[in-house]
Amino acid sequence: MLLNCHTYYSFGYGTLSIKELLRAAWNLGYISFVLSDINNTSAVLDTLRMCDEKPMKPIPGIDFRNGVKQCYVGIAKNNVGFKELNEHLSEHLHEKKEFEKRPKNLEKFKNTFLVYPLNAFDGCTLEENEFIGVTPKELTLLPFNKFKHLTHKMVVLQTFSFLNEEQRFAHSLLRAIDQNTLYSKLTKEDQGSVNDIAPTKEVLYNTFSAYPEIIVNTEQILNSCSVKFKFGKLQNKNLKFYSGSLEEDISLLREEARKGLAYRYPIVTKEVEDRLEKELSIIISKEFTSYFLINWDITSYARSKGYFYVGRGSGANSMVAYLLRITDVDPIDLDLYFERFINESRSNAPDFDIDFSWNNRDEMTKYIFDRFGENKRVALLGTYATYQHDAVTRELGKVFGLPPAEIDRIQKITVVKETDDSITKEIIKYSQLIAGFPSHLSIHASGIIISEEPITAYTATNLPPKGYRTTQFSMLEAEDIGLFKFDILSQRGLGKIKDAVEIIKENRSVDIDIHDIKKFKHDEEIKKLLKVGKCIGCFYVESPAMRMLLTKLQADDYLRLVAASSIIRPGVSKSGMMNEYIHRYRKKELRDKAEKELPELYKLLQETYGVMVYQEDVIKIAHIFAGLTLAEADYLRRGMSWKFKQRNEFHVVKEKFFNNCIEKGHRIETIHMIWNQIESFANFAFSKGHSASYAVESYQALYLKAYYPIEYIVATLNNGGGFYRTELYIHEARMHGATIVPPDVNYSGVNSEVKDKTIFLGLGMIAQLEKEVIITILNERFEGGPFIDLYNFIKRTNISIEQVRILIRVGAFNFLPKNKKELLWEAHMLISPTKIKKPGKELFELEPQKYKLPTLTNTWQDDAFDEIELLGFALCHPFKLLKQPVKNTLTSSDLKNLKGQTVEIIGYLVNVKTTWTSNKEKMNFGTFLDIDGYWIDTVHFPPSARSHPFSGPGTYRIIGKVVEEFDFIYIDVSVQFRLPMINQDDDPALRILPDFKSNKRIEQRH
């Protein structure tokens, strides 16, 4: 009898979770009901899955509305009807058109019931599948309604949006947030009513007892509808065949894999042959051939276009993927566990993650839609944005009309007191209720699905601004229904590598095979950089934490870098396994002790000294140590995700893990220790193949950095930098001997460029400089040659005085003999802000009128502050900006001889990482540059972090104890102060300026 039920996927309207709706409907006596969220189908698949083979029968539908005004409810008779509804909703969402009172194309609803609300019915002749919905409230006035004679076409239209009055009020608050209005100004028309709290089935039947025909009509609709899906991750609803048939796919896959053998393995050993046949047999038996071939097609297209990519994730465990060049990781070389990716018992689909350069990803997405998008079977995966507690508190504060200061106060309240006012109590209560509700649909970071059927067989689709269909369900529902996702991601690291190779070829005439990974693995210069963590700008290995880890490990080989990529992850490091790995790596006696204490575990994890480092380790331990099947072991690994932990299957597998271990005779203390390790990191650690993929990209970057550092830094600047601010990469280039020149109208392009060892910063780096101005400058320079002087520039480009001022101040006219102040005066005399002529050819060249100006002085302070404003940093030495010259000459290189001593040192702040102790106290890790431009690393434990906190960017006086841990030196800070900087109006005087590249101090007079 419930033909119109809403969950909280009726965004900004509904308040019921799926579980709450199912529980409430059952308790109220309803076995069958229509799930019809407003203009949305997000809840459908999960609801059907939860009720699969259960006595409840949910029926998919859609409540079609313009805003909150209901037009009609569509109810699917069967799966085809669900597709009809999805296509109808998708069409209106894509074209952003309103719903009519009655669909014009009724012939498209052959497998659908349509129910029109009585209060909007216009008396049209109804088709067999069309009905009029009557609410209980309207029933009393039905005898006086002009359509009372149409009871044979009427049904019960009881809306179910809220469980109780509390949820109804939460709904009203959601409506106010959605309308961006005060709760007091919310109208009845903008929200649902108390009548949308469903009564029991008995009460509803009694209400309509005088109209048995309406009850019969309603029951007939419910009884005649049935929408069923087969759930299970291997139901495989994806594009079945890449080339037309399974036989053709198998033949093509074998052929391309065989071609790859010659490229990847000059000598094909029996191990390689056996591994290939083993993988192929499993891929074919699981019918994953099309999935592999589609990924092969995507990566082949990328190579044909010269696009860099990295195939990573557990797919790197596959040799077939390596042979097809989907990945660049050799699983034989690394002894990668193929069963982590696919095994005969595995219940979920394979999953490739393919990273492209940030500026190629859109083209790759377009290719996939164009190549496979026939019959509308390609879509981006959706995801659900949710209301966060603090944001809801703030929004509710606005809804109640509170001032910002009062909202800030309420946000800090953790426990409600009796003395708190009623509004405060309401806000805290309902922010807790609403937090976690889905607020709107968003787009998954990378997922694309390619189904055999049109996507509308499973969901309606949205059309975001980029114009690609997007599902109204998430990857979790996609997996449940058997749709595999293709992960197409983007990252800037690949753009750096690609651009660096091109810059090196242009600047040095050197052609680099950047895919020669085997050569890089044995390169001595790369080993030197890794061992001491000199990896600035290099993908995944440049952060302070990674630099510290590499130094402690003295990692100078590929395997150690692969391990480092995983143990740096939060779960592994938090569990204590990162420190344990470092200790065992550095001390043989600890390895021996670990092997003696738990030989069975140590044998399984011999490569990592008995420490769990990779996700594969969980599978190994669960399968061999605990005796779970491979399917159960892999489910256990995946089940560590909080989403999967909510499902009963996970708890069954967990129980079996403990029972099996006890039966095998393992000590209960050992079982708990291993379980705690698994639980603490399994959802955060990488698969070994994934880490190996990252390490490949790191090695490519490290090779370029080792041999062509300036060109690589330029490529880094042009691809948005990396972990650090742009200023640090400029500093790194200087440390490698580069001269930095500010953007120049005669030399600079959009991006930064390097000629010999001089880097000309790009015009695109200038804040506030308009893109159209850059294009104008470059076009005019291309057509008319270099600019002769300011007058020539202004005349040829015709840009505004504001944009010319920016260019002058940043130093873009430094090639002229006049200083900036003189050029600014000249610009104002040449350009009238109120009247600008269009550029054009003149019969005679007219010289501008000349004026005699007083002597104008431009100081180095002017340059520094202009650069800070327009570039984000000054091009001069940062210590030069201090009010008092640096007298302390202690450097980071001196610290190794001062271990255990308290020192005072001056450092320029580069990065601060804030973290919290187990007692929830704040502490910091600091990264500074010393007077010579080298690293100072600091630790600020809670007492220091409280008494001497960081106070913004700049140069600090640091006092603390020098500590050394496995060759990594840092200062345990007790006191720090930020040193005062000069002001722009300070009188420049003789200053002692430290030179970044040596200990020599040089005098400079300004």
Side-chain angles (χ1 to χ4, degrees):
M1 296 287 283
L2 299 178
L3 297 188
N4 189 30
C5 297
H6 301 139
T7 69
Y8 55 26
Y9 290 101
S10 292
F11 301 124
Y13 193 99
T15 59
L16 290 162
S17 69
I18 296 173
K19 286 184 178 179
E20 282 179 318
L21 173 64
L22 293 176
R23 192 182 302 115
W26 180 264
N27 291 337
L28 291 169
Y30 302 99
I31 293 174
S32 184
F33 64 90
V34 176
L35 173 61
S36 52
D37 276 313
I38 298 170
N39 299 343
N40 186 272
T41 59
S42 294
V44 169
L45 290 181
D46 214 24
T47 304
L48 291 174
R49 180 188 66 81
M50 289 183 188
C51 296
D52 196 28
E53 299 184 6
K54 301 266 191 336
M56 289 197 79
K57 187 178 84 170
I59 299 164
I62 299 173
D63 189 348
F64 295 98
R65 298 195 184 194
N66 294 322
V68 293
K69 184 175 176 55
Q70 188 178 57
C71 298
Y72 42 89
V73 176
I75 303 169
K77 295 181 184 177
N78 47 40
N79 287 57
V80 177
F82 183 45
K83 181 169 173 284
E84 291 171 355
L85 292 175
N86 287 332
E87 288 178 347
H88 183 64
L89 176 57
S90 300
E91 177 189 335
H92 283 75
L93 292 178
H94 290 199
E95 298 177 18
K96 293 181 172 57
K97 61 181 182 182
E98 291 196 336
F99 297 101
E100 309 89 353
K101 287 185 177 180
R102 186 189 190 201
K104 293 178 180 177
N105 48 352
L106 281 174
E107 69 280 358
K108 293 184 178 180
F109 292 91
K110 294 178 182 177
N111 296 276
T112 306
F113 292 112
L114 296 173
V115 179
Y116 306 101
L118 177 62
N119 60 20
F121 182 60
D122 60 4
C124 63
T125 303
L126 297 172
E127 299 291 333
E128 185 181 350
N129 63 332
E130 294 181 293
F131 292 88
I132 304 165
V134 181
T135 68
K137 186 179 178 181
E138 292 169 330
L139 204 57
T140 55
L141 297 176
L142 188 58
F144 310 103
N145 192 288
K146 61 181 176 179
F147 301 120
K148 62 184 178 182
H149 61 289
L150 294 176
T151 54
H152 66 289
K153 293 295 290 180
M154 291 181 181
V155 294
V156 177
L157 189 58
Q158 170 64 59
T159 296
F160 185 18
S161 299
F162 335 116
L163 195 60
N164 48 42
E165 182 59 36
E166 181 183 75
Q167 284 195 350
R168 192 206 65 77
F169 185 60
H171 154 82
S172 297
L173 295 175
L174 285 172
R175 298 303 308 135
I177 292 172
D178 188 63
Q179 296 287 308
N180 194 24
T181 188
L182 293 171
Y183 172 71
S184 59
K185 291 187 176 181
L186 196 66
T187 66
K188 288 184 178 180
E189 291 73 25
D190 289 328
Q191 56 187 311
S193 74
V194 71
N195 298 312
D196 295 340
I197 300 173
T200 65
K201 184 176 180 180
E202 183 181 359
V203 168
L204 195 56
Y205 267 77
N206 288 337
T207 303
F208 280 85
S209 58
Y211 296 92
E213 193 172 18
I214 294 179
I215 293 175
V216 169
N217 291 340
T218 309
E219 288 180 333
Q220 283 180 345
I221 286 179
L222 291 170
N223 294 334
S224 62
C225 293
S226 179
V227 176
K228 290 282 187 181
F229 286 104
K230 288 184 178 179
F231 290 93
K233 298 174 180 66
L234 294 186
Q235 286 299 323
N236 201 344
K237 296 181 176 67
N238 309 279
L239 183 62
K240 285 186 178 179
F241 311 122
Y242 172 79
S243 52
S245 70
L246 181 59
E247 292 73 23
E248 289 176 281
D249 277 6
I250 292 170
S251 176
L252 180 59
L253 185 62
R254 282 191 174 278
E255 179 186 341
E256 291 301 326
R258 287 280 163 193
K259 285 181 186 176
L261 279 176
Y263 176 75
R264 296 296 197 184
Y265 298 103
I267 300 173
V268 181
T269 64
K270 184 177 185 302
E271 182 186 12
V272 170
E273 278 284 1
D274 291 347
R275 174 73 174 249
L276 174 59
E277 288 305 316
K278 169 189 164 185
E279 289 195 19
L280 284 173
S281 67
I282 294 176
I283 292 166
I284 292 166
S285 69
K286 290 289 186 183
E287 297 186 3
F288 291 152
T289 51
S290 68
Y291 184 75
F292 272 77
L293 288 169
I294 290 169
N295 279 287
W296 165 74
D297 181 293
I298 292 167
T299 51
S300 297
Y301 174 77
R303 289 197 307 277
S304 74
K305 298 290 286 185
Y307 297 160
F308 277 39
Y309 65 89
V310 169
R312 58 178 178 84
S314 59
N317 289 38
S318 166
M319 192 175 81
V320 171
Y322 181 57
L323 297 177
L324 296 178
R325 299 186 69 177
I326 298 170
T327 71
D328 275 323
V329 175
D330 183 352
I332 299 292
D333 181 41
L334 285 176
D335 189 26
L336 294 181
Y337 189 47
F338 177 63
E339 285 74 11
R340 163 64 181 87
F341 185 46
I342 304 173
N343 60 67
E344 291 176 350
S345 304
R346 186 170 173 176
S347 61
N348 60 292
D351 189 10
F352 284 112
D353 294 335
I354 305 177
D355 285 352
F356 293 92
S357 174
W358 63 279
N359 48 13
N360 297 146
R361 181 190 178 190
D362 286 349
E363 169 61 26
M364 292 308 305
T365 301
K366 182 178 184 300
Y367 172 74
I368 294 168
F369 271 80
D370 292 344
R371 174 75 174 83
F372 302 103
E374 181 187 354
N375 200 25
K376 298 179 181 177
R377 60 189 179 197
V378 181
L380 302 178
L381 264 176
T383 188
Y384 311 120
T386 57
Y387 288 105
Q388 300 302 306
H389 181 270
D390 284 352
V392 174
T393 304
R394 183 158 293 279
E395 290 301 317
L396 291 180
K398 293 178 185 176
V399 162
F400 284 112
L402 300 182
E406 181 66 6
I407 296 173
D408 290 341
R409 182 191 68 81
I410 295 173
Q411 276 190 313
K412 295 173 184 175
I413 295 175
T414 55
V415 179
V416 181
K417 299 175 184 175
E418 283 295 325
T419 53
D420 287 327
D421 61 84
S422 59
I423 295 295
T424 297
K425 290 176 180 176
E426 292 280 80
I427 289 173
I428 292 173
K429 175 182 176 180
Y430 285 97
S431 63
Q432 291 171 347
L433 176 63
I434 294 170
F437 281 18
S439 60
H440 62 277
L441 273 165
S442 187
I443 304 173
H444 186 274
S446 59
I448 298 176
I449 54 175
I450 306 173
S451 63
E452 179 70 18
E453 298 293 325
I455 292 295
T456 47
Y458 312 104
T459 176
T461 56
N462 292 354
L463 196 69
K466 286 194 175 180
Y468 298 118
R469 285 181 297 277
T470 303
T471 66
Q472 289 189 337
F473 56 65
S474 72
M475 76 170 188
L476 203 59
E477 290 82 28
E479 283 189 9
D480 287 336
I481 202 69
L483 288 166
F484 313 161
K485 66 181 168 67
F486 296 81
D487 279 318
I488 306 299
L489 303 103
S490 71
Q491 53 144 296
R492 294 184 180 271
L494 291 167
K496 296 181 198 178
I497 293 170
K498 179 176 180 287
D499 288 356
V501 170
E502 292 172 357
I503 292 169
I504 291 163
K505 186 174 183 180
E506 183 180 337
N507 206 41
R508 304 267 199 112
S509 301
V510 176
D511 215 341
I512 297 171
D513 180 4
I514 200 63
H515 300 289
D516 191 359
I517 305 301
K518 288 184 179 178
K519 171 187 169 184
F520 300 162
K521 286 179 184 177
H522 303 288
D523 189 282
E524 292 300 321
E525 294 303 312
I526 292 177
K527 289 181 179 181
K528 289 177 187 176
L529 294 184
L530 275 174
K531 200 166 186 178
V532 293
K534 288 188 175 180
C535 308
I536 301 307
C538 298
F539 174 75
Y540 206 73
V541 290
E542 65 168 331
S543 70
M546 194 54 135
R547 184 167 51 81
M548 175 193 71
L549 178 58
L550 292 173
T551 304
K552 287 183 177 181
L553 286 175
Q554 294 184 331
D556 62 352
D557 63 82
Y558 181 66
L559 274 177
R560 225 46 56 200
L561 183 57
V562 172
S565 297
S566 189
I567 64 176
I568 196 74
R569 297 280 289 170
V572 189
S573 56
K574 187 178 180 181
S575 69
M577 284 181 275
M578 181 175 80
N579 283 336
E580 188 62 30
Y581 178 84
I582 295 168
H583 280 78
R584 292 185 191 181
Y585 176 71
R586 295 293 294 260
K587 295 182 179 181
K588 185 178 183 301
E589 61 270 24
L590 292 178
R591 297 199 292 273
D592 294 339
K593 181 183 177 185
E595 185 175 12
K596 185 178 180 181
E597 286 179 351
L598 207 57
E600 193 172 351
L601 181 65
Y602 195 92
K603 186 178 179 182
L604 289 176
L605 307 175
Q606 195 161 11
E607 185 186 299
T608 53
Y609 319 118
V611 178
M612 276 188 274
V613 170
Y614 309 112
Q615 287 182 353
E616 286 89 339
D617 297 338
V618 176
I619 298 175
K620 282 183 185 177
I621 291 166
H623 179 52
I624 300 171
F625 184 79
L628 300 182
T629 66
L630 282 171
E632 290 168 336
D634 193 51
Y635 194 91
L636 186 68
R637 176 196 63 79
R638 300 184 78 247
M640 291 300 167
S641 163
W642 71 268
K643 291 180 181 177
F644 287 93
K645 276 189 178 180
Q646 312 307 311
R647 300 190 178 184
N648 290 331
E649 301 98 311
F650 170 75
H651 297 287
V652 172
V653 176
K654 177 182 177 181
E655 186 177 344
K656 190 172 181 181
F657 177 93
F658 277 89
N659 290 339
N660 283 14
C661 286
I662 292 168
E663 286 178 15
K664 286 167 76 75
H666 298 307
R667 291 184 304 130
I668 193 68
E669 297 83 1
T670 303
I671 298 169
H672 278 288
M673 181 196 75
I674 292 173
W675 177 259
N676 290 337
Q677 284 189 33
I678 291 173
E679 195 169 36
S680 65
F681 95 106
N683 190 42
F684 296 97
F686 284 159
S687 72
K688 189 177 180 183
H690 187 86
S691 293
S693 303
Y694 270 7
V696 165
E697 187 177 343
S698 297
Y699 262 80
Q700 291 174 319
L702 285 163
Y703 177 81
L704 297 170
K705 179 74 186 299
Y707 290 95
Y708 309 96
I710 296 176
E711 287 83 355
Y712 183 73
I713 291 298
V714 169
T716 299
L717 291 172
N718 292 342
N719 283 274
F723 181 87
Y724 302 98
R725 302 190 306 272
T726 302
E727 178 182 16
L728 192 277
Y729 299 107
I730 296 291
H731 162 69
E732 183 72 5
R734 277 207 192 93
M735 297 295 283
H736 285 281
T739 300
I740 312 299
V741 175
D744 189 303
V745 293
N746 274 341
Y747 291 96
S748 298
V750 177
N751 293 323
S752 299
E753 298 176 10
V754 57
K755 291 180 176 66
D756 297 322
K757 287 192 173 185
T758 300
I759 296 175
F760 292 88
L761 299 182
L763 294 168
M765 288 182 68
I766 307 172
Q768 304 167 36
L769 189 66
E770 297 167 1
K771 289 181 180 178
E772 293 76 10
V773 169
I774 297 174
I775 293 168
T776 299
I777 292 170
L778 298 181
N779 287 342
E780 184 56 39
R781 197 171 77 200
F782 176 78
E783 292 176 6
F787 301 105
I788 300 168
D789 52 29
L790 185 61
Y791 172 66
N792 178 255
F793 174 84
I794 290 170
K795 185 178 177 184
R796 288 164 59 184
T797 60
N798 195 43
I799 66 176
S800 70
I801 183 63
E802 291 80 11
Q803 295 289 290
V804 172
R805 280 175 54 83
I806 289 169
L807 288 166
I808 292 171
R809 290 176 60 214
V810 84
F813 293 95
N814 282 359
F815 62 91
L816 295 176
K818 297 178 181 178
N819 67 41
K820 290 181 183 180
K821 296 264 179 74
E822 293 167 334
L823 289 171
L824 287 169
W825 270 100
E826 185 179 348
H828 278 276
M829 289 186 287
L830 290 171
I831 300 175
S832 169
T834 57
K835 186 177 180 182
I836 301 175
K837 293 181 180 179
K838 290 185 178 180
K841 297 218 175 204
E842 295 179 353
L843 188 59
F844 301 104
E845 280 289 335
L846 299 176
E847 287 292 322
Q849 187 174 354
K850 294 184 179 179
Y851 298 88
K852 187 172 182 179
L853 298 172
T855 302
L856 298 171
T857 303
N858 190 79
T859 67
W860 66 270
Q861 288 119 315
D862 294 325
D863 290 342
F865 283 97
D866 283 341
E867 288 158 2
I868 289 170
E869 180 183 341
L870 298 171
L871 297 175
F873 53 90
L875 291 175
C876 66
H877 192 304
F879 285 21
K880 184 180 178 181
L881 297 174
L882 294 175
K883 270 191 178 293
Q884 298 298 323
V886 175
K887 295 178 181 178
N888 185 329
T889 59
L890 191 69
T891 67
S892 63
S893 62
D894 299 324
L895 298 179
K896 60 187 175 185
N897 299 318
L898 299 170
K899 288 180 284 189
Q901 297 183 37
T902 298
V903 299
E904 180 179 325
I905 193 169
I906 308 300
Y908 179 68
L909 182 61
V910 172
N911 183 71
V912 180
K913 180 184 178 183
T914 299
T915 186
W916 281 264
T917 67
S918 57
N919 296 327
K920 307 297 182 185
E921 291 186 290
K922 187 170 78 170
M923 63 177 293
N924 304 114
F925 294 90
T927 308
F928 298 82
L929 295 177
D930 72 4
I931 200 165
D932 291 333
Y934 294 101
W935 297 113
I936 304 169
D937 292 283
T938 61
V939 177
H940 307 249
F941 289 104
S944 172
R946 281 194 303 271
S947 59
H948 295 88
F950 286 92
S951 54
T955 303
Y956 283 74
R957 182 162 67 95
I958 303 161
I959 300 171
K961 184 179 178 182
V962 179
V963 181
E964 184 262 340
E965 288 182 2
F966 295 117
D967 301 315
F968 183 78
I969 294 173
Y970 64 88
I971 298 174
D972 179 355
V973 176
S974 54
V975 177
Q976 70 169 12
F977 297 102
R978 186 159 66 96
L979 300 175
M981 290 175 56
I982 60 169
N983 295 315
Q984 190 165 4
D985 299 326
D986 285 348
D987 182 29
L990 183 67
R991 305 184 64 81
I992 304 297
L993 174 62
D995 179 6
F996 258 119
K997 294 186 282 276
S998 73
N999 286 327
K1000 182 183 176 184
R1001 309 288 178 252
I1002 57 175
E1003 285 194 357
Q1004 287 196 357
R1005 185 182 296 274
H1006 302 281

